[in-house]
Amino acid sequence: MAPPPPGNMPLTQRMMHLAQTLQFGWFVGHLTLLFCALRYGISYITFHSYSRFARFSYRTAFVAAAATYGIVVYKAYRARARSGRGQQAGALALAGDENVQYLAMALVWLFFPQIPLALLPFMVYSVFHVATYTRTNLIPTIFPTSPSPAPSAASPGGSKAPAKSNAYADMIGRFVKEYYDTSMMLVASLEIFLWFRLLGSAIIFTRGSWILLVVYSVFFRARYSQSSFVQGAILNLGRRIDAVVAQQSTPPMARQGWETVKRALGQAADATDVNRYVQGAPLKKGQ
């Protein structure tokens, strides 16, 4: 992230300097996503999810999601172009970028019928992006640290005293550090449940459900290949099903069916491993 403006500038100028950056637009996009998703959530739990304002909130949330990930993709492309690597990024390399994947899914959710569960992973990511930007950019801009005092003879070695940190920034930093891994596991679990949600819609032949299931399956396969959290969530789910199937009360046919499903999924995962075709590691998501 770009550093905050100098602390010796007036507050108004510091805020103007911050607001003129592309990264501030990225922050506002994530903040808009959270507000719209929360507003839609209120409509959903009060059984008004298809009211005009609820539909507006739902669509605006995904517009904001597409804008934030679009900004990240644009900045990454511009950085590659400046370094002379822009021409080397082929279609597979772009497909392997997590930001491109989430940008594509945000656009898919935007134009398909409402699926409230699809909002939750984006919300979790936005919480941490907003928190991180607030800690590293917004708080230092509003409450700049005072310059360190000049070294005195009383100070050991004549060194400057360390700048005093902001209590709110420290609190946000502790929150991010403490809950990041747990939240990423939550996102992975939500993405798994979302796949089953789409599968259920496809089984009853909801309009457009099979197309959406195929598109999301491609996205989820890419997530599995890139995210240790998704891999861990699937492993935990598989172990739980194994424990249930291993019980004596489970019919032998169910056990055989589960073994068949596991083999089929393993073969499908091996056959669709895109990483063998993509050169270079994908960019860190959302940065």
Side-chain angles (χ1 to χ4, degrees):
M1 289 187 177
N8 56 2
M9 297 171 57
L11 177 60
T12 304
Q13 294 184 16
R14 295 199 304 268
M15 292 302 299
M16 287 295 297
H17 184 276
L18 190 70
Q20 291 173 0
T21 62
L22 192 60
Q23 199 166 18
F24 184 78
W26 171 87
F27 165 74
V28 171
H30 281 294
L31 203 60
T32 302
L33 189 157
L34 286 176
F35 279 125
C36 290
L38 290 174
R39 180 59 186 85
Y40 175 78
I42 294 174
S43 298
Y44 182 81
I45 63 178
T46 56
F47 304 101
H48 293 89
S49 58
Y50 286 95
S51 65
R52 179 178 300 179
F53 198 73
R55 294 197 304 268
F56 173 80
S57 299
Y58 180 89
R59 303 300 175 188
T60 304
F62 282 116
V63 169
T68 57
Y69 288 100
I71 288 174
V72 176
V73 172
Y74 167 74
K75 291 179 65 176
Y77 176 80
R78 187 173 62 179
R80 288 185 177 184
R82 288 177 176 176
S83 63
R85 296 183 292 114
Q87 300 297 330
Q88 301 175 4
L92 286 177
L94 289 175
D97 184 352
E98 288 181 295
N99 297 298
V100 174
Q101 296 164 9
Y102 274 95
L103 170 60
M105 283 310 305
L107 294 173
V108 168
W109 299 128
L110 174 63
F111 293 107
F112 271 79
Q114 293 182 17
I115 299 182
L117 184 59
L119 273 173
L120 297 183
F122 288 91
M123 287 182 63
V124 175
Y125 282 128
S126 289
V127 166
F128 283 91
H129 289 318
V130 168
T132 301
Y133 186 88
T134 301
R135 178 176 64 87
T136 58
N137 288 74
L138 199 57
I139 290 179
T141 298
I142 300 176
F143 306 105
T145 55
S146 57
S148 302
S152 61
S155 60
S159 60
K160 293 183 179 181
K164 186 178 180 181
S165 60
N166 185 279
Y168 295 108
D170 293 341
M171 180 178 64
I172 293 173
R174 289 193 298 269
F175 167 80
V176 171
K177 183 178 180 180
E178 182 175 357
Y179 292 103
Y180 180 80
D181 288 350
T182 303
S183 298
M184 294 304 101
M185 284 298 297
L186 173 62
V187 169
S189 300
L190 290 171
E191 290 176 340
I192 294 174
F193 294 150
L194 183 54
W195 187 88
F196 284 104
R197 162 67 175 81
L198 298 178
L199 178 63
S201 297
I203 290 175
I204 61 176
F205 292 97
T206 304
R207 182 180 177 182
S209 58
W210 280 102
I211 298 175
L212 190 55
L213 178 62
V214 171
V215 172
Y216 186 77
S217 296
V218 174
F219 164 80
F220 187 74
R221 176 62 184 88
R223 294 289 298 129
Y224 175 78
S225 66
Q226 296 168 341
S227 172
S228 60
F229 295 104
V230 175
Q231 295 170 11
I234 291 180
L235 183 62
N236 291 336
L237 178 61
R239 287 173 177 173
R240 291 182 180 181
I241 298 178
D242 285 338
V244 173
V245 171
Q247 296 178 2
Q248 295 181 354
S249 59
T250 304
M253 185 176 298
R255 297 178 185 177
Q256 295 176 2
W258 171 236
E259 293 299 327
T260 302
V261 169
K262 285 201 300 183
R263 285 196 300 269
L265 291 176
Q267 292 172 359
D270 292 338
T272 56
D273 186 4
V274 184
N275 283 338
R276 70 182 70 176
Y277 307 109
V278 180
Q279 295 181 353
L283 297 173
K284 186 176 180 181
K285 190 191 72 58
Q287 299 297 321

